[in-house]
Amino acid sequence: MPLLTALHEAADLEAAVTAPDGSLSRHELLDRAGRVAAEIAGAPIVAVDATPSLSTIVAVTGALLAGVPIVPIPPDAGVLERRHILEDSRAALILPDFIPLNPGKSEVSAALVLYTSGTTGAPKGVVISEEAIAADLDALAAAWQWTPDDTLVHGLPLYHVHGLVLGILGPLRLGCRLIHTGRPTPANYAAAAGTMYFGVPTVWSRIAADPTAAKALEPARLLVSGSAPLPPSVFDGLATLTGQSPVERYGMTETLITVSTRADGERRPGQVGTPLPGIATRLADESGAPLPADGETIGHLQVTGPTLLDGYLRDGGVRAPDLVDGWYPTGDVATIAPDGWHRIVGRASTDLIKTGGYRVGAGEVEDALLLHPAVREAAVIGTPHADLGEQITAYVVGDPVTEQELIAFVAERLAAHKRPRRVRHVAELPRNAMGKVQKGLLSSD
C-alpha cells in the first residue's frame, strides 16, 4: 500500500491542501507532484527548500511518488548549516527550482532524511522509511480518532517530524483537509476553522494569553501539543478558555511519535500518555539495568517498535543506529507510572541534575517556578558546584522578584534539595524553531 493512500484513493476535494500561497484539490496536487516525480525519477537523493508553501508540499509529494529520498532544508539555515546538509546528504538537486548539484555517490533507500542536531558535532541525517511513517500515522489515527472528516490546521515548519510527517503526510495518507497558516499566530489559528490543531508550547502559550483567539478554537475537537513540554499553567489555561484540555504526545526524529494521550481518554497536565499500538518503552539506569515503572523513579527512556529510524546517513550510505538489544536509547529521562503514563523529565544531558547525591528532574523545578505569579517562563539546568557536584540554577523571564523569594517559593512546594541555589533573570530564553529551550546556550558562569 502506498504511503500517501488518500492522495491515490480518496475522493477529490476542492482546497484539500491550503497554504499561504494558494490551495490545491487532491487531483491538482497529484498532477503537479506527478510532474515533479517524472523530472527527478532515478535521482539518488534530492533536497527541498522547505518553506511553508504549496511548492514544498508538491516537491515532497513528488519525491515520495518517485521513490526518491528527500532532504528538507530549513529556510532559515545559515550558510554553514545549509552547506553541511547538502554536502553530507550528497543531494543531486534542490527543489522546487531543480537546481543541479554535483553529488558524490549515494545509496539510500528511504522516504525522508531529516537533519537533527545532537549534543555535539554537526547535524546528523536521520534516515526514515515509508514503512515507519505509515506505521506511525496509522497508530496516531487510531489514538486521535483522526479521520477524513477532519480539517487539520497548523503553522509549523516543514522540515521536522511535527510539521512535515504529521502535519503534511498525515492528511495525505488519512484523507483529511489541511490548512497551513504560514505563521502559527493566534489570529491565524482562530481564523482557520479546523477540527484539529497542531502546535508547540510557544504557540499554545500565546493562544492561552489571547482569550478571543482561544475562544475561537472551542468548536475544534482536538488541540495537540508536542515538540517540547507544555507548562501546566498553559494546559489549564487552554482547558478553561476552549473547554477542552490539550492532547500531549512524545517523540523524536529518530523514533517518530511513540507515546500519546488518547482523544477519548484522560488528559493529565505534565504527562504525555501511554505508548501507541505496536510501541514498547522501558526505563534503565546508567548501567543499563531496568528500573521500576512506579511513577517516581527517573530513568533513561528506551523505545522499540516499527517507527524507529533505519539509521544515520554516513558517507553516502546508512549506518545502523546503536540499539540496546533492539531498543533505541532516546537520550531522554522519564518516569513511567504503574498505569503506563509517561512523564518526560527532559534530556539526560541537561535535564537530569545530580546534586548532593539526589537525582532531580529540571522540569519539576520549572513547573514549580511557573506557579509564581511573577514568572512567565523558566528554564532549569545543573551548573558545577564544588560540594554538591551540580547545583540547581534557574533562569526566569518575568516581573521583578528577588532570588531569595523564588528559592523559598520552590522550597515550600518541593523537597528542600530540589530548590534552586541560584536564580537569574533574563529577558528571554533561547529557543529553536520548534520552541524548545536551548539550554546549552544558557550561561553556567
Side-chain angles (χ1 to χ4, degrees):
M1 179 182 294
L3 173 61
L4 306 181
T5 309
L7 188 62
H8 296 276
E9 299 178 359
D12 194 30
L13 281 178
E14 185 178 356
V17 177
T18 299
D21 54 341
S23 297
L24 294 173
S25 71
R26 287 206 184 95
H27 287 174
E28 289 170 332
L29 174 58
L30 186 58
D31 177 65
R32 287 181 54 176
R35 281 181 270 154
V36 171
E39 288 280 344
I40 66 174
I45 187 168
V46 298
V48 61
D49 283 317
T51 59
S53 63
L54 287 178
S55 61
T56 297
I57 298 172
V58 169
V60 170
T61 305
L64 290 170
L65 292 177
V68 176
I70 193 160
V71 180
I73 303 175
D76 60 348
V79 174
L80 293 179
E81 181 183 1
R82 183 182 180 87
R83 181 188 303 161
H84 167 72
I85 292 173
L86 292 175
E87 291 179 352
D88 187 69
S89 68
R90 306 185 183 188
L93 52 88
I94 306 174
L95 302 175
D97 297 323
F98 298 93
I99 300 171
L101 300 172
N102 297 306
K105 184 179 180 181
S106 181
E107 296 181 359
V108 180
S109 176
L112 297 173
V113 178
L114 301 180
Y115 274 79
T116 183
S117 297
T119 55
T120 59
K124 298 181 295 184
V126 179
V127 179
I128 303 172
S129 69
E130 284 198 12
E131 292 77 12
I133 295 172
D136 203 50
L137 293 175
D138 292 347
L140 288 172
W144 296 345
Q145 300 178 349
W146 189 354
T147 76
D149 294 329
D150 280 306
T151 295
L152 171 62
V153 176
H154 73 91
L156 301 172
L158 301 187
Y159 50 89
H160 285 306
V161 169
H162 198 169
L164 178 57
V165 176
L166 276 61
I168 301 299
L169 304 188
L172 297 182
R173 179 170 180 80
L174 303 173
C176 74
R177 294 180 186 271
L178 166 67
I179 298 174
H180 193 287
T181 62
R183 298 179 60 231
T185 64
N188 285 347
Y189 274 39
T195 64
M196 294 175 65
Y197 288 79
F198 289 171
V200 298
T202 301
V203 172
W204 295 122
S205 176
R206 291 170 180 170
I207 290 174
D210 186 336
T212 301
K215 188 69 175 177
L217 303 188
E218 192 173 26
R221 69 171 193 84
L222 213 62
L223 311 178
V224 181
S225 182
S227 298
L230 184 70
S233 59
V234 177
F235 181 101
D236 293 338
L238 287 173
T240 299
L241 291 168
T242 68
Q244 63 169 305
S245 299
V247 163
E248 296 185 68
R249 87 299 183 280
Y250 165 79
M252 57 191 308
T253 305
E254 287 89 343
T255 67
L256 303 181
I257 307 306
T258 53
V259 179
S260 180
T261 306
R262 303 312 197 257
D264 59 354
E266 183 183 1
R267 304 173 193 181
R268 305 175 187 174
Q271 300 188 51
V272 294
T274 57
L276 293 173
I279 302 294
T281 61
R282 69 181 185 183
L283 299 178
D285 65 15
E286 285 80 359
S287 69
L291 291 172
D294 57 12
E296 299 292 335
T297 302
I298 297 174
H300 295 262
L301 182 63
Q302 299 179 348
V303 175
T304 191
T307 66
L308 298 188
L309 75 165
D310 283 355
Y312 295 98
L313 203 62
R314 180 68 57 83
D315 299 326
V318 181
R319 177 180 65 80
D322 295 324
L323 302 182
V324 180
D325 297 327
W327 295 78
Y328 182 81
T330 65
D332 288 322
V333 286
T335 66
I336 302 177
D339 61 2
W341 275 70
H342 289 53
R343 178 173 65 87
I344 306 301
V345 174
R347 297 299 291 170
S349 57
T350 56
D351 294 304
L352 180 60
I353 303 170
K354 299 174 184 177
T355 177
Y358 294 99
R359 295 156 57 94
V360 178
E364 184 179 16
V365 184
E366 291 162 357
D367 288 346
L369 285 164
L370 289 170
L371 294 174
H372 194 285
V375 177
R376 292 192 295 274
E377 298 180 63
V380 168
I381 62 173
T383 57
H385 189 275
D387 179 46
L388 299 172
E390 288 184 301
Q391 69 175 3
I392 299 173
T393 300
Y395 295 79
V396 300
V397 178
D399 300 326
V401 60
T402 67
E403 178 180 49
Q404 289 306 314
E405 180 178 340
L406 288 179
I407 292 173
F409 182 83
V410 174
E412 290 173 357
R413 288 158 178 80
L414 303 178
H417 66 269
K418 297 180 180 179
R419 72 189 187 282
R421 300 289 178 136
R422 294 292 308 275
V423 177
R424 300 181 180 182
H425 289 268
V426 294
E428 62 181 10
L429 299 176
R431 296 181 183 273
N432 64 16
M434 297 302 291
K436 294 181 181 179
V437 176
Q438 296 180 290
K439 292 190 175 183
L441 300 180
L442 294 171
S443 172
S444 60
D445 56 340

